Amino acid sequence: MKNSLYNIPKIKNTETNNFVLIAGPCIIEGEQMAMDIAGKVIEITNKLGIPYIFKGSFKKANRSRVDSFTTIGEQKSLEILKKVGDSFHIPTTTDIHENQHAAWAAQYVDVLQIPAFLIRQTDLLVAAANTGKYITLKKGQFLSPESMQFAAQKIKDSGNNNYAIIDRGSSFGYHDLIVDYRGIPTMKKFAPVLLDVTHSLQQPNQISGVTGGRPDMIETIAKAGIAVGADGIFIETHPNPGKALSDGANMLQLDLLEDLLEKLVKIRKAIS
């Protein structure tokens, strides 16, 4: 079977030939919020015929400061992710940071995500691949699109043929990222490719120790990603980004999601 995002268990709306959406809060903040966000996004994606995967980190390991929020509890967060998936019968995903996280998280989610800064960690990629789960590989901000073929090959060489790449921009100076849209068709030669819209708009390494962002550019970046043929998009969304416990500076406010997705569906149809 051809490697496709449509191979992910429980994914719906695949008959529409639409792009795949990965969306949810940066981090699991609580059960009710996770259920509310998932329910709202499902309502929108079913209306628009968009295959949907719920995303939420069970722990944030890559933080600028030791006092940054990291988790409400690792086990608790994984159980919430499982409840979202079981309640709505949709696939869920979370990022893993240590080798032992792979088999553990695989008991609760359908897709394992490798963070950008860890993309060269061979043992982590092999551990993830060995779970048999679908794997998404965040492109390192420090890597060329062409070099991501080697991360993908590690998954394939471990006997897992279900994987995708998520572009999240490239480092541009000390405090910014830029998306090189040439990378999307380049990486599609060896895997399905999604564009992480919101993380591409981060402004890292701020002197405050808190990452900044440009959420005003979310629509622009997302439209361009779909226009150049991205197989999916990744958007972190929150009912009130200003009060989010993590990455609020670059998240999309939840009530703005439907309007954006309507526009992206039109672009997808225009290029199909």
Side-chain angles (χ1 to χ4, degrees):
M1 182 183 295
K2 180 182 177 182
N3 180 10
S4 168
L5 291 163
Y6 288 0
N7 294 347
I8 295 171
K10 298 188 289 187
I11 199 160
K12 298 182 176 67
N13 298 318
T14 57
E15 72 283 352
T16 63
N17 192 35
N18 221 329
F19 59 86
V20 171
L21 173 68
I22 299 178
C26 175
I27 192 167
I28 297 298
E29 298 183 10
E31 180 179 314
Q32 192 59 54
M33 178 178 285
M35 297 292 283
D36 289 347
I37 293 174
K40 180 61 177 177
V41 180
I42 289 166
E43 178 185 328
I44 297 168
T45 53
N46 283 344
K47 176 181 175 182
L48 298 176
I50 298 171
Y52 172 51
I53 303 164
F54 177 84
K55 180 267 172 186
S57 296
F58 77 98
K59 179 181 181 179
K60 304 304 292 187
N62 171 29
R63 301 288 88 182
S64 297
R65 302 185 336 203
V66 73
D67 62 348
S68 296
F69 179 80
T70 58
T71 183
I72 61 170
E74 297 175 17
Q75 182 67 39
K76 181 178 180 180
S77 296
L78 287 170
E79 289 172 357
I80 290 171
L81 282 160
K82 188 174 190 306
K83 183 170 182 179
V84 169
D86 290 346
S87 298
F88 295 107
H89 199 64
I90 57 170
T92 58
T93 184
T94 197
D95 41 332
I96 59 173
H97 311 92
E98 302 173 22
N99 299 350
Q100 61 267 30
H101 285 171
W104 182 28
Q107 300 174 60
Y108 299 91
V109 299
D110 305 282
V111 180
L112 297 177
Q113 175 185 295
I114 306 299
F117 283 128
L118 300 178
I119 196 61
R120 287 178 56 86
Q121 297 298 106
T122 300
D123 288 350
L124 179 62
L125 269 64
V126 171
N130 286 342
T131 66
K133 294 288 184 175
Y134 201 100
I135 310 298
T136 53
L137 305 161
K138 284 284 192 81
K139 186 186 84 66
Q141 300 93 318
F142 46 87
L143 291 177
S144 69
E146 291 81 0
S147 63
M148 280 300 294
Q149 66 183 294
F150 303 112
Q153 191 66 42
K154 289 177 183 179
I155 304 298
K156 188 173 183 178
D157 287 347
S158 300
N160 189 331
N161 293 312
N162 288 307
Y163 50 86
I165 295 170
I166 303 178
D167 195 349
R168 53 136 318 144
S170 300
S171 295
F172 187 72
Y174 290 118
H175 304 292
D176 213 350
L177 298 167
I178 191 167
V179 178
D180 180 355
Y181 290 95
R182 297 173 300 176
I184 292 176
T186 296
M187 292 186 291
K188 283 184 67 170
K189 294 176 182 177
F190 38 88
V193 177
L194 302 95
L195 176 61
D196 182 342
V197 176
T198 46
H199 284 109
S200 295
L201 292 167
Q202 282 186 332
Q203 294 178 315
N205 305 317
Q206 300 298 308
I207 60 173
S208 65
V210 178
T211 298
R214 288 289 308 275
D216 57 302
M217 296 294 292
I218 288 174
E219 182 174 320
T220 300
I221 296 293
K223 284 179 175 177
I226 296 299
V228 299
D231 299 293
I233 57 170
F234 179 116
I235 293 179
E236 288 187 338
T237 185
H238 192 282
N240 188 346
K243 293 187 177 181
L245 298 179
S246 177
D247 280 4
N250 53 273
M251 279 200 278
L252 179 69
Q253 190 163 310
L254 184 59
D255 62 11
L256 300 177
L257 181 63
E258 183 170 2
D259 179 67
L260 173 61
L261 292 178
E262 286 176 348
K263 294 173 182 176
L264 299 183
V265 167
K266 290 177 182 178
I267 294 172
R268 173 76 172 201
K269 288 179 179 178
I271 67 170
S272 297

